[in-house]
Amino acid sequence: MELGKALFNIAALADLGEEITSEKNFQEKLHSLLHVVLGTFLASRGAVTCQDRSGDTMAFVARRGFDDLSPAAIDLGRIRSAGKNEPFLNADDAALAAAGVEVVTPLWVRDEFIGTILLGRKFTAEPYSREDFELLRVISHQVAITLNNHALFLNLSEQLNDNRKLYEEMRRIYHDTLQAFAAAIDAKDMYTRHHSQRVARYASAIARELGWSDHDIEGIYVAGFLHDVGKLVISNELLNKKTPFTEEEKAEIRRHSLVSYKIISQIKFPWKDVEKIIKHHHERLDGTGYPDALSRDDLSEGAKILTLADSFDAMTSERAYRRKMDLRSALIEMNSCLNLQFDDKIMLAFCRVLDKEIKGELPEPDILPHLGRESDLTVISAMLEGLIEELSGQKDGG
Amino acid sequence: MNPSPFQVTSRLVKDVAVVYPQGYLNNLAGEGLVSECSRYARTGIKKVVVNFGKTDLINSIGISLLLHVMEELQAVEGTLCFTDMSKVQVDIFEMLGLSKFFLFFPDEDRALQFLNVRER
């Protein structure tokens, strides 16, 4: 082979490599590969066919010309029986001959038949040479691998998609189970219906405002649902008692956060520290909470969020022993407990998210829909703005 | 250095379409060259001059696209002229045996003269 032609063939292989590794979409890539093959062998007609996954039918994945050729008319048995990736001159297949196909190359990867490259006569009317067939064999091997990789990628994508659907379904069942479980907890106390659900939503709204990741937000949402699971072991009579608790009864009630922790610790959650967040939702920054009397620096952000969310819902809900607070009174109460019970950073996030909900800046509000309608939201918004300014100043000033 | 993006412009000089591919004739954007020539062929123009003065390089995809142009003009018994090609490009077309399907001219003026077109 003369030097010029050898260099041209090497350049063609380089073109092929460039197209195979390009970031084009698969259809464009095949179209370009076909052009590389046509330009290399000076054929004005050509096609790449690919076998479907059932192995029964072929389809054109790129073609120029051969418009009258139906893939169904191609004798696959004859092509499969030829050598792997070995081009041959078409002599026997009448359908291919009628369409003008002169050279057929069966594409194989290992023991799997992938498809074919079909080429028409050369534009120069010269016959295909032995060197052409050698080069076409190399090119065919690369095209076969490209087609096979794409098929593998599609299989993986389908599996991934199936797994994702399965995961979403399991996740939905999981959340439904949690809701049912939370409903069972809340049903013990006629005054705390939907309490767990509200705490879950309030806590996740605060976490979102603080910039938590979706994964961690889901974790605190679950913690909100389950934080009172320990109340299942406390008697209904005690939970619904209308007169003040005795010290002994208070101690019994306070057991619930530790019991919740013990129950939840048996579950292997995909979220970090759910059981600890639940255990510490009655701790206080001043170290007078329970069960471990931890102080500010020992408490996680999650525990501080759940504490505030739980307390806010308790304040704004009816209880057996007291009437519910209006929103303004609850905010005043929470503000008075800053740095004793509630962390100012969490309070700031809570005020911000509630203010955004009142101003309609959040498409799916989590807090506002659960509050009574007796408050004047213009007044509340002004109050929140003041709190936000005050808390922001404290935060900036250290 | 990244090759410049491929683009095609053209003008009609009497009954001759002069087409100016610009950039690296190596990708599917080069199909714009084919469609430009086809557009003229459909209006009955049978003489096409392709000025390669601003085409850096032609690879196997570019050759495939030019085969298409040659085939279209062959079908209408038209005349295809290539001008302003580098020596490397001319050598490749001769080596591949394609030079008999079009005419080479050093520049566009000489191609138009050959086609009996005088610009005013």
Side-chain angles (χ1 to χ4, degrees), chain B residues 9-79:
Chain B
T9 52
S10 67
R11 65 186 183 124
L12 194 59
V13 183
K14 295 191 176 168
D15 63 343
V16 179
V18 186
V19 183
Y20 303 92
Q22 189 174 334
Y24 186 16
L25 186 47
N26 74 331
N27 60 36
L28 295 180
E31 289 190 337
L33 171 64
V34 178
S35 55
E36 194 72 353
C37 293
S38 301
R39 187 170 67 82
Y40 283 113
R42 279 198 301 275
T43 61
I45 300 292
K46 291 185 178 182
K47 298 174 192 170
V48 174
V49 174
V50 183
N51 182 334
F52 286 101
K54 290 186 176 172
T55 302
D56 311 321
L57 197 65
I58 304 169
N59 78 347
S60 52
I61 294 179
I63 288 172
S64 171
L65 297 171
L66 290 172
L67 288 179
H68 198 148
V69 175
M70 292 173 206
E71 196 175 50
E72 283 214 11
L73 278 167
Q74 230 181 22
V76 294
E77 296 181 343
T79 307

Side-chain angles (χ1 to χ4, degrees), chain A residues 27 30-32 34 46-49 59-64:
Chain A
Q27 210 51 50
L30 285 176
H31 196 46
S32 295
L34 179 63
V48 179
T49 67
F60 286 110
V61 287
R63 75 165 144 180
R64 179 159 142 59

